[in-house]
């Protein structure tokens, strides 16, 4: 599953698009996410986006385990 975005810079748009793609992937059984740290379809690498994507990965791993009740 690709964590793709059309954003050119790290920020709300990139985070929103990647979070939606990642959540859909996890909920449909995907366990391999690609394009961490990459912005736009021009393959722009961003260290700041890489950090955000790693945090997203951790949140998606928790989602995969199930949402705790209570």
């Amino acid at each position: 599953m690709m964590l793709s975005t059309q954003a050119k810079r790290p920020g709300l748009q990139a985070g929103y698009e990647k979070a939606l793609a990642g959540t859909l992937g996890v909920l449909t059984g995907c366990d391999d996410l690609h394009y961490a740290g990459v912005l736009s379809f021009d393959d722009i690498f961003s260290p700041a986006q890489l950090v955000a994507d790693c945090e997203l990965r951790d949140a998606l791993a928790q989602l995969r385990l199930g949402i705790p009740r209570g």
Side-chain angles (χ1 to χ4, degrees):
M1 182 79 187
M2 282 182 33
L3 293 178
S4 62
T5 180
Q6 294 183 15
K8 305 282 190 220
R9 290 178 281 177
L12 186 60
Q13 178 185 352
Y16 184 71
E17 290 176 7
K18 287 180 173 239
L20 282 175
T23 301
L24 177 64
V26 167
L27 292 177
T28 58
C30 179
D31 61 358
D32 191 15
L33 302 173
H34 299 279
Y35 275 63
V38 178
L39 295 168
S40 181
F41 292 112
D42 299 327
D43 293 338
I44 301 167
F45 177 74
S46 166
Q49 189 61 50
L50 180 60
V51 171
D53 289 347
C54 287
E55 291 179 8
L56 174 60
R57 177 205 57 205
D58 294 344
L60 292 172
Q62 288 296 317
L63 178 63
R64 186 179 297 121
L65 295 174
I67 299 171
R69 298 175 191 242

